[in-house]
Amino acid sequence: MYAKNIPFASHEVRWFFDGAVDKNPALGSWFETSSPIPKQGGFGPPVWMGRLGGEPDVYLLVPGADDMGIKWREGNFQVKGRTASLGVHSFCGRFQGSVERWVRWSYAGMPEAYRNLFLDGNEKGLITVSVRKTRALRKIKIDTYDGSALEVDPKEFIDRGINFELTDIEVGGKPYCTVAFEAYPDDSAMHAAFTRVVEAFLGGLKGVELGAGNSMSYPEWLLNIVSGAGNSG
């Protein structure tokens, strides 16, 4: 019997870039050193998790549907659907990003036949893409009552906050990277807190282009990769 988790609702903006993080040094330096939010505790700098040589996430793409992400990740069957597109937002007067609302369901212990969809999907006429990832995470805790923000140890569990992540990714042997802000839960008060935190971090970013052209979800970006459109980040 598979194990079902509670749906996870989030509020997100994401950008993609050609080349790994080490080929985008201004991006990596900003992520590691920017500190606009007070910190709680004595934790160190961001730690990279996972290995590009390890088990990949395998996405099952739905042709023409950039609002649905279906993937096999570390033994879990995950389905992520976009519930709303809030359009392109301007941050700090010089950056633009597509802000979206998503809900994710995750299931463990699925029958082997479901896993096989991802292992040999291409042989059955499906579109599957393997994505290797190494991620660094920073975590911002949002106070439920006054909306104030504190950066906490990424290992700390919080029920209200924002994940600020930078990820090296590899698709088809080619390196890319992505930076994202993911806020949760996605309730009526989160958009304002999300915008404040995103702008606080982006205010110190220089030498990196964040525009509508390289801001999108994983499903949309992967569909572009598969179709040969690529990414102009």
Side-chain angles (χ1 to χ4, degrees):
M1 181 64 178
Y2 62 83
K4 184 173 69 172
N5 293 330
I6 297 174
F8 179 84
S10 58
H11 198 95
E12 306 177 15
V13 63
R14 177 179 296 278
W15 292 270
F16 288 90
F17 305 87
D18 288 330
V21 172
D22 62 3
K23 299 299 183 182
N24 295 273
L27 183 68
S29 176
W30 162 72
F31 177 82
E32 292 180 353
T33 63
S34 179
S35 188
I37 305 294
K39 292 186 176 182
Q40 176 181 287
F43 56 91
V47 176
W48 289 89
M49 299 176 290
R51 295 176 58 87
L52 287 177
E55 181 180 353
D57 290 355
V58 184
Y59 287 78
L60 175 61
L61 303 182
V62 179
D66 62 8
D67 60 350
M68 178 65 66
I70 305 170
K71 69 180 177 182
W72 186 267
R73 181 177 190 180
E74 299 176 344
N76 289 295
F77 178 82
Q78 296 185 355
V79 180
K80 188 173 181 180
R82 186 174 64 217
T83 59
S85 177
L86 304 183
V88 175
H89 286 225
S90 177
F91 299 100
C92 302
R94 64 184 191 276
F95 303 114
Q96 291 77 43
S98 296
V99 179
E100 301 174 328
R101 288 175 168 149
W102 292 82
V103 175
R104 183 178 72 235
W105 296 263
S106 184
Y107 304 89
M110 295 293 285
E112 190 69 13
Y114 286 84
R115 183 171 185 268
N116 291 340
L117 286 176
F118 299 88
L119 294 178
D120 55 10
N122 289 332
E123 298 176 6
K124 298 178 179 179
L126 303 175
I127 305 173
T128 59
V129 181
S130 293
V131 182
R132 298 189 182 277
K133 303 177 182 178
T134 302
R135 184 181 72 153
L137 174 67
R138 300 179 67 174
K139 189 176 288 187
I140 313 302
K141 182 179 181 179
I142 304 298
D143 187 273
T144 303
Y145 299 102
D146 63 12
S148 60
L150 280 176
E151 183 170 0
V152 299
D153 190 320
K155 296 187 293 292
E156 180 177 333
F157 170 80
I158 59 175
D159 57 10
R160 184 176 186 81
I162 297 171
N163 288 343
F164 174 30
E165 65 176 54
L166 180 62
T167 307
D168 261 336
I169 49 183
E170 182 182 291
V171 180
K174 296 182 179 180
Y176 307 90
C177 62
T178 178
V179 64
F181 295 87
E182 177 189 60
Y184 50 92
D186 180 32
D187 55 30
S188 59
M190 181 53 78
H191 181 70
F194 169 83
T195 301
R196 287 196 301 271
V197 169
V198 173
E199 291 201 324
F201 278 101
L202 293 185
L205 178 60
K206 298 179 180 179
V208 177
E209 180 181 349
L210 300 181
N214 65 330
S215 179
M216 63 197 79
S217 65
Y218 264 108
E220 181 177 356
W221 182 73
L222 288 171
L223 285 167
N224 287 345
I225 294 291
V226 169
S227 68
N231 170 55
S232 60

